[in-house]
Amino acid sequence: MQVLVLAAVLGAMAWLVGNVQSNLERQNINSGFGFLSERAGFGINQTLIAYTEDDSFGRVLAVGLLNTLLVSALGIFFATLLGFSLGVARLSRNWLISKIAMVYIEIFRNVPLLLQIMFWYFGVLRNLPSPRQAVSIGDAIFMSNRGFVVLWLEASAGAFWYGLAALGLVIGGIWLRRRAANAQITTGQATRVWRPLLGLAVALFGGAALMAGVPFALDVPHLKGFNFRGGLTVIPEFVALLLALSLYTAAFIAEIVRAGINSVSKGQREASAALGLPESVALRLVVIPQALRVIIPPLTSQYLNLTKNSSLAVAIAYPDIVSVLAGTTLSQVGQALEIIFITMMIYLSLSLLTSWAMNRYNQRMAFVGNNT
Amino acid sequence: MTDPVIRISDMNKWFGTFHVLRDINLQVAAGEKIVICGPSGSGKSTLIRCLNRLEQHQEGVIEVEGVSLDGSVKNLESIRSNVGMVFQQFNLFPHMSVLENCTLAPIWVRQKTKQQAEALARQFLERVRIPDQADKYPGQLSGGQQQRVAIARALCMNPDIMLFDEPTSALDPEMIKEVLDVMVELAEDGMTMLCVTHEMGFARQVADRVIFMDEGEIVEENAPEAFFSNPQNERTKMFLSQVLSH
């Protein structure tokens, strides 16, 4: 019986593969991944790496992937920050704070994400004034319907030395902290790290300035013709998508955080209070570390959701991986099988990577021994 | 009697409409050991939880070392850091080692260095006879050991007063003695103690006064000898006949 079923399944698969091959041949569509090295021939309005129309589809893939990563990583960062604050606020004894958090949560998690993306894009950002009447904050940020233009630093070749100095500062800072921690354990002396750190910073950046002078120039945005020149331009599609993803996911994270904090037994707070610990210290060192055990697994799925939901970028043409690869590239090349396969594999890998990292973090949080 | 360290006068408390504590008047002198007993639901735990404001009273005055418990956060934190409490369910912090449990409050409230706090913690762990468990986690210890850690954790703050809320009620019978022994020693060192317990042997051995509560009232208070041999009130007699019959 099992052999029969297996044979039937294999037979069906063989028929499908044969069918696809003959159909592709008939429609004159190539198969294989050769298209990745062909010239793309279309522009992309946000590229983190150098890209022109003459670059290959492979380059398009990289640009799209980086755009997806950028919006997802920043989205996760802001959603986590806002979500934790809202979750704690939701439990506040202050009636107003708790109700404001509740209203926020109920609004943002109960409106479809696609609508929220469209709201921010078509409802808000696209309705900003034209560049000529742009809303300006201190002449450093200009907000218009073409996106946000931000005052930026233009770096020339000598900036390399500054990068080196910054790297040195990070390494030196870690070393100093470790030395101070060891000193506290062995001598009881709580040494302050910031003084030597400041000295190190002055020495390193002073050295870099000697080597390279000042290789930075302020890149001030200014109107030229109908749009801005100079500065760093953040396209409105990115802002809308990031806003919608962060605000939407934060509402879910807030509920997860609230449930996590509630899961910590009342006795833990009472014991902290009885020891005279201020409430903020008790929350940070006693309650939240225990709540994290409960928070992390559902938090992980929110991170995965956010990353996958970033594919809704298509709706407002933010150039994420789905938009540029499974959208534009697919319509030009026509190799649906390969392109959809690549895109699916990319999301699968991203998700598995996130899960793996979060599971490792969760293992570190687990209690030792039996706990009821 | 010298100035009392705890003074409760005409204190009343309600849970919603339920009157849990009625017209409580009680003064405790420095170094005094008081055992509070009574049937379950009589308000004895609620009474000692009012002393560090884990529960809030609605009427009357509670003063601890001359500081009034009146909702001022500053008063409250100063009182709490000088009043240690041991709970029925231990309430150790499961994500911290025994040593970290003991050093947390001295570091954050008393501003001690980690090293000072650890030296102090080891000293008190020695006193409760578990110096070798310092690096274990609460989940790896027996109930009796956990409760002794909880006592050491409270002592690390050098409190003037210790509150015990049924410290042996969640323990297996064979572990009760190890915890009571530590408490007896603490009493002999002159600590001011208020202890809610059903351990009448302990009451006989260390208490200066035994207080019997029923339905939110202090029904009777007396020295242990007189309390056990010659109870005055009918309700006390009834309670004692029940707890002492086995």
Side-chain angles (χ1 to χ4, degrees):
Chain A
M1 185 61 201
Q2 281 159 342
V3 177
L4 276 178
V5 171
L6 188 69
V9 169
L10 286 178
M13 278 169 65
W15 177 80
L16 265 175
V17 170
N19 202 23
V20 166
Q21 269 174 350
S22 63
N23 274 337
L24 287 177
E25 268 163 39
R26 209 170 334 122
Q27 294 174 21
N28 249 338
I29 295 176
N30 294 328
S31 57
F33 294 96
F35 72 93
L36 284 173
S37 52
E38 286 165 21
R39 181 177 178 277
F42 60 90
I44 298 177
N45 61 354
Q46 178 188 301
T47 56
L48 297 180
I49 50 176
Y51 171 84
T52 64
E53 291 181 13
D54 293 325
D55 280 315
S56 65
F57 285 118
R59 191 86 177 167
V60 167
L61 189 157
V63 168
L65 176 58
L66 284 173
N67 284 344
T68 290
L69 287 176
L70 179 72
V71 79
S72 304
L74 285 177
I76 284 173
F77 175 77
F78 288 121
T80 308
L81 214 63
L82 184 61
F84 267 75
S85 314
L86 281 167
V88 173
R90 184 77 181 79
L91 290 169
S92 167
R93 273 197 299 260
N94 182 318
W95 185 88
L96 188 66
I97 291 178
S98 143
K99 282 291 173 281
I100 289 175
M102 189 193 85
V103 168
Y104 174 95
I105 291 165
E106 293 309 333
I107 289 177
F108 279 90
R109 71 175 181 161
N110 288 319
V111 175
L113 176 58
L114 184 58
L115 278 178
Q116 294 192 33
I117 294 173
M118 290 171 142
F119 167 77
W120 290 114
Y121 187 63
F122 296 112
V124 179
L125 294 168
R126 276 297 182 187
N127 285 336
L128 285 172
S130 69
R132 283 174 175 280
Q133 281 89 41
V135 184
S136 134
I137 302 173
D139 274 349
I141 301 174
F142 296 89
M143 297 186 284
S144 71
N145 58 6
R146 302 279 186 90
F148 294 0
V149 186
V150 187
L151 183 74
W152 203 244
L153 281 175
E154 185 94 24
S156 52
F160 168 73
W161 292 103
Y162 281 81
L164 215 60
L167 188 71
L169 192 64
V170 170
I171 293 172
I174 291 171
W175 180 73
L176 279 170
R177 258 210 69 80
R178 208 169 269 178
R179 210 184 57 154
N182 281 335
Q184 198 191 23
I185 289 164
T186 50
T187 68
Q189 295 284 307
T191 38
R192 302 228 170 269
V193 181
W194 67 268
R195 226 180 259 266
L197 201 63
L198 202 67
L200 188 69
V202 169
L204 282 171
F205 283 104
L210 278 180
M211 294 297 293
V214 182
F216 297 102
L218 269 188
D219 192 3
V220 187
H222 55 277
L223 264 179
K224 191 162 188 194
F226 292 108
N227 208 345
F228 284 99
R229 285 289 166 82
L232 177 80
T233 306
V234 186
I235 59 173
E237 291 80 11
F238 175 78
V239 179
L241 186 65
L242 180 62
L243 263 176
L245 285 174
S246 308
L247 297 179
Y248 175 79
T249 313
F252 289 89
I253 292 179
E255 285 295 273
I256 290 168
V257 168
R258 178 168 78 115
I261 290 178
N262 276 339
S263 77
V264 177
S265 81
K266 214 172 99 211
Q268 293 290 311
R269 273 169 185 265
E270 289 184 347
S272 317
L275 286 165
L277 287 172
E279 222 170 315
S280 57
V281 176
L283 191 67
R284 194 156 50 86
L285 298 179
V286 175
V287 176
I288 291 198
Q290 294 185 59
L292 279 180
R293 273 181 327 130
V294 179
I295 291 174
I296 290 170
L299 184 65
T300 307
S301 39
Q302 287 306 321
Y303 287 177
L304 302 182
N305 279 345
L306 189 148
T307 310
K308 290 178 290 179
N309 286 340
S310 74
S311 62
L312 289 173
V314 171
I316 54 170
Y318 170 73
D320 82 321
I321 185 81
V322 172
S323 190
V324 297
L325 196 69
T328 318
T329 304
L330 176 55
S331 69
Q332 293 201 3
V333 182
Q335 287 182 239
L337 221 53
E338 290 87 344
I339 288 175
I340 297 298
F341 176 75
I342 293 175
T343 318
M344 282 164 69
M345 280 303 132
I346 283 174
Y347 277 103
L348 187 64
S349 319
L350 285 181
S351 294
L352 289 176
L353 209 66
T354 313
S355 299
W356 174 79
M358 293 295 280
N359 282 339
R360 283 199 46 152
Y361 183 57
N362 202 24
Q363 275 162 11
R364 276 196 13 217
M365 286 286 147
F367 291 157
V368 180
N370 290 320
N371 285 282
T372 45
Chain B
M1 195 157 106
T2 53
D3 263 0
V5 289
I6 294 174
R7 190 205 309 267
I8 305 173
S9 47
D10 301 322
M11 191 261 277
N12 278 282
K13 172 168 178 60
W14 289 264
F15 281 135
T17 56
F18 178 61
H19 201 165
V20 256
L21 294 173
R22 297 163 190 265
D23 299 321
I24 303 288
N25 283 286
L26 180 68
Q27 302 204 339
V28 182
E32 224 186 338
K33 288 96 186 105
I34 294 194
V35 165
I36 303 168
C37 59
S40 74
S42 60
K44 49 196 193 310
S45 286
T46 311
L47 173 61
I48 71 164
R49 285 162 59 87
C50 282
L51 293 176
N52 60 359
R53 214 174 165 81
L54 290 182
E55 304 285 354
Q56 296 176 18
H57 61 287
Q58 280 101 16
E59 266 178 22
V61 177
I62 302 179
E63 277 179 14
V64 179
E65 298 186 306
V67 182
S68 173
L69 275 173
D70 54 5
S72 135
V73 175
K74 204 166 157 239
N75 283 1
L76 184 60
E77 282 180 1
S78 98
I79 288 175
R80 279 178 172 169
S81 62
N82 288 320
V83 177
M85 188 165 199
V86 175
F87 299 84
Q88 181 178 355
Q89 299 296 340
F90 326 138
N91 293 347
L92 293 176
F93 306 132
H95 60 302
M96 297 181 185
S97 71
V98 165
L99 200 61
E100 288 166 340
N101 264 276
C102 294
T103 55
L104 181 72
I107 288 173
W108 287 91
V109 182
R110 295 266 191 257
Q111 270 90 40
K112 291 195 189 303
T113 67
K114 193 174 167 195
Q115 205 206 19
Q116 288 170 335
E118 283 184 355
L120 195 69
R122 288 188 192 281
Q123 180 192 326
F124 282 112
L125 288 172
E126 186 97 41
R127 252 182 87 178
V128 300
R129 300 191 200 93
I130 35 176
D132 45 345
Q133 313 284 2
D135 297 318
K136 289 201 178 162
Y137 283 81
Q140 297 169 306
L141 304 181
S142 72
Q145 289 173 324
Q146 290 192 49
Q147 192 60 299
R148 285 184 284 151
V149 171
I151 295 174
R153 177 175 72 176
L155 292 177
C156 281
M157 291 294 284
N158 280 320
D160 301 322
I161 301 164
M162 284 285 287
L163 309 174
F164 292 87
D165 187 3
E166 305 205 25
T168 55
S169 301
L171 296 176
D172 292 336
E174 74 270 23
M175 291 170 187
I176 292 178
K177 188 172 176 299
E178 63 187 53
V179 172
L180 287 180
D181 285 348
V182 168
M183 289 168 62
V184 170
E185 250 174 56
L186 196 60
E188 285 165 354
D189 288 351
M191 177 68 75
T192 310
M193 291 166 67
L194 278 88
C195 185
V196 173
T197 185
H198 298 296
E199 297 295 328
M200 292 304 140
F202 174 77
R204 254 183 231 275
Q205 193 182 347
V206 299
D208 296 311
R209 263 192 291 165
V210 181
I211 288 174
F212 174 72
M213 288 184 71
D214 193 20
E215 294 180 346
E217 291 174 308
I218 295 183
V219 174
E220 187 165 350
E221 57 174 295
N222 217 332
E225 243 357 273
F227 180 85
F228 289 112
S229 58
N230 187 19
Q232 302 295 310
N233 192 293
E234 280 309 313
R235 285 190 276 178
T236 319
K237 287 177 191 166
M238 172 95 150
F239 175 74
L240 284 178
S241 72
Q242 281 165 347
V243 285
L244 297 177
S245 62
H246 49 243

